[in-house]
Amino acid sequence: MVRIATFNVNSIRARLPNVLDWLREAGPDVVLLQEIKCQDDAFPALEIEAAGYRAAVHGQKSYNGVAILSKHPITDVVRGLPEGEPEGDEQARYIEATVAGLRVASLYLPNGNPAPGEKFDYKLRWMRRLVAHAHNLLATEQPFVLAGDYNVCPTDDDVYDPANWQDDALCRPESRALFRQLCHLGLTEAFRALHSEAGRYTFWDYQAGAWQRDNGLRIDHLLLSPQAADRLVTCDIDKAPRGRDKASDHTPIWVELQ
DNA sequence: ATGTCCCTATGTTAGGGA
């Protein structure tokens, strides 16, 4: 059994005590982090190692940044989506590696607001690159997990107030269509494979008492290849970290694979 | 009620991003 969690931490350095507490309590085998907001050499590797985890980092100063933590060895690390931007991609939003016989990726999809606009165009281009990469990975027929902050609410069931969010980059039809395309390639969205209820969220804004009012969004997802989906036992959202002092605005979601 | 938090730098306050 392997437990894999994804967590947008909104700065690993600002969040380190919370993340270490959560690692001790939840103890997933593999952790996919997003928005670490630091360069590789500023990543708190010693503290993470002391907690029992190895780390592979694709960092960036101030913005973005992703990492893979694992209790088991991490090999064959790839930083950045291999399907690149024409002019190159400066933004650290993707890292992939092999852990415990499984290919895992931590991804931080662009937010895309305001939409329409340049940022939304970049989001859609990034999603098309991810679709192309997923297609290539599927051809290998290996078990893999593409997880992270997708910045997409797949349906209105995943939004506390759909009418007010319909024009947002997280909910627009173009974003949802590309997310569906990813699933229709043959990937299984783990949470929806096991839960049909509306109103289950992974993100609550810091503003306007969103957490206290449960004004949330479900934007953090784990997508499983057919070989990984065959092994899916459990998927759940761990709301506890969001309720703590100095919390990230996201909370972890995790799967258990046989 | 644009109500918060985190980052950086022409740095102890302001602006960008989410």
Side-chain angles (χ1 to χ4, degrees), chain A residues 26-255:
Chain A
D29 302 284
V30 181
V31 180
L32 307 166
L33 298 177
Q34 301 86 37
E35 276 204 273
I36 60 171
K37 293 187 174 178
C38 66
Q39 287 171 327
D40 292 16
D41 58 10
F43 188 83
L46 292 177
E47 293 90 336
I48 296 291
E49 278 169 30
Y53 290 86
R54 302 151 201 255
V57 179
H58 183 33
Q60 184 182 336
K61 197 178 188 178
S62 308
Y63 307 111
N64 314 314
V66 287
I68 298 172
L69 311 184
S70 172
K71 290 180 172 177
H72 310 288
I74 303 172
T75 61
D76 303 298
V77 179
V78 169
R79 293 174 176 83
L81 270 176
E83 296 73 11
E85 284 270 297
E87 309 286 318
D89 195 348
E90 309 269 291
Q91 303 187 23
R93 298 181 173 276
Y94 188 89
I95 186 170
E96 182 186 301
T98 298
V99 171
L102 201 66
R103 198 77 183 146
V104 295
S106 175
L107 66 93
Y108 177 46
L109 218 144
N111 174 295
N113 278 304
E118 277 180 28
K119 290 185 173 181
F120 191 57
D121 293 341
Y122 175 65
K123 176 180 195 153
L124 298 181
R125 281 202 308 280
W126 206 96
M127 292 189 81
R128 288 186 204 106
R129 291 163 59 199
L130 183 61
V131 166
H133 187 58
H135 191 83
N136 290 336
L137 282 175
L138 282 162
T140 68
E141 301 194 347
Q142 66 188 322
F144 66 85
V145 178
L146 304 180
D149 178 357
Y150 277 76
N151 268 316
V152 176
C153 302
T155 75
D156 283 355
D157 282 352
D158 307 308
V159 188
Y160 70 95
D161 184 358
N164 271 332
W165 281 80
Q166 61 179 353
D167 297 325
D168 190 278
L170 280 58
C171 297
R172 284 180 65 105
E174 301 94 322
S175 309
R176 286 179 168 172
L178 281 161
F179 186 82
R180 273 199 311 275
Q181 190 180 351
L182 209 46
C183 294
H184 288 163
L185 281 175
L187 300 183
T188 297
E189 201 252 276
F191 187 79
R192 280 292 173 235
L194 299 175
H195 301 273
S196 58
E197 69 273 20
R200 296 287 305 275
Y201 308 128
T202 62
F203 164 88
W204 297 260
D205 201 282
Y206 287 124
Q207 297 191 63
W211 168 249
Q212 288 76 10
R213 294 164 196 250
D214 198 26
N215 287 345
L217 306 172
R218 197 173 68 87
I219 55 178
D220 299 272
H221 310 296
L222 296 117
L223 268 55
L224 311 184
S225 75
Q227 293 77 9
D230 285 346
R231 295 164 53 183
L232 176 63
V233 178
T234 313
C235 178
D236 226 329
I237 298 164
D238 180 3
K239 284 179 74 173
R242 183 63 182 85
R244 305 220 171 102
D245 279 350
K246 301 277 282 175
S248 169
D249 42 5
H250 295 249
T251 212
I253 173 169
W254 55 275
V255 291

